[in-house]
Amino acid sequence: MKKNAIIFLFALCPLIPVASHLAYGIILAADLIWLFFSGLLISELVKKISPGEAGPYIELTCLGASASIFFLVLQGLFPILSVSLGLYVYIVAFSYVLLSSIDSFSFHDWNFLPIVPFIPVLLLFSLVRELLGFGTISIPVRTGLFELRVLGEFAEYGIGFWGTAGGALILLGIFSWLAKYLRRKATTTKRNS
């Protein structure tokens, strides 16, 4: 259990540079969902053709092609954001969380898929980081980001640090502590009842 939490934490680390706005988090969450379901389809197709030892390599190649399709759609819908998120679309395609979720998928046991808690954490992390770092909430639009100012006079607060990579690492530490605390609290509650 401890090992899974550390792996989950490191899975979020590559997204720190890009999850500075909720709009970016939304696009990356959509990318994860697209890649997860296309990865399941690819995995089933590869099993049917039974290529032997080449199977995992075929799956990874097809997953990269699926990421390319998502990137082309992203370029069509959000051309400005595709410039800043292009590399991360492909990084997500080969992330541990996604690949382990595809490998361990079962219709009987959805709770143990790493991608299930990862997407809400990614969205919440992006939202908190944007609120604390910029005082806004953003959504993706064709011309870039539509930002809604939530904290007026944000420049006077002086907490823009949370929008930086260093602030994101500290927020990630707080998030991991909170998740561990809530998990222990739930375990204690189960034992006492």
Side-chain angles (χ1 to χ4, degrees), residues 110-168:
W110 279 75
N111 293 335
F112 293 113
L113 290 175
I115 202 167
V116 173
F118 186 78
I119 291 174
V121 166
L122 170 64
L123 292 172
L124 184 63
F125 182 75
S126 300
L127 175 67
V128 169
R129 186 173 173 200
E130 182 176 9
L131 273 174
L132 294 178
F134 306 106
T136 60
I137 295 177
S138 63
I139 57 170
V141 293
R142 186 155 181 76
T143 57
L145 299 175
F146 174 75
E147 294 181 328
L148 176 65
R149 181 139 320 266
V150 176
L151 302 174
E153 307 300 325
F154 181 76
E156 295 176 12
Y157 301 139
I159 56 175
F161 166 73
W162 299 109
T164 66

Side-chain angles (χ1 to χ4, degrees), residues 6-131:
I6 292 169
I7 290 171
F8 188 79
L9 183 65
F10 281 120
L12 192 56
C13 283
L15 302 178
I16 285 175
V18 76
S20 60
H21 292 280
L22 178 62
Y24 293 164
I26 291 169
I27 289 173
L28 289 175
D31 184 26
L32 275 168
I33 293 168
W34 164 260
L35 291 171
F36 176 67
F37 286 113
S38 64
L40 290 178
L41 178 65
I42 291 165
S43 179
E44 287 301 314
L45 290 174
V46 168
K47 283 178 189 172
K48 287 193 187 290
I49 62 172
S50 183
E53 291 180 17
Y57 303 111
I58 294 171
E59 287 181 29
L60 288 175
T61 304
C62 292
L63 202 56
S66 182
S68 295
I69 292 169
F70 183 85
F71 181 67
L72 290 173
V73 171
L74 180 64
Q75 280 182 320
L77 295 175
F78 308 110
I80 305 293
L81 296 179
S82 70
V83 172
S84 56
L85 294 176
L87 175 65
Y88 293 101
V89 168
Y90 295 101
I91 289 174
V92 167
F94 300 106
S95 70
Y96 176 80
V97 170
L98 178 68
L99 296 176
S100 64
S101 294
I102 291 170
D103 285 342
S104 64
F105 177 76
S106 168
F107 284 107
H108 305 293
D109 196 12
W110 279 75
N111 293 335
F112 293 113
L113 290 175
I115 202 167
V116 173
F118 186 78
I119 291 174
V121 166
L122 170 64
L123 292 172
L124 184 63
F125 182 75
S126 300
L127 175 67
V128 169
R129 186 173 173 200
E130 182 176 9
L131 273 174

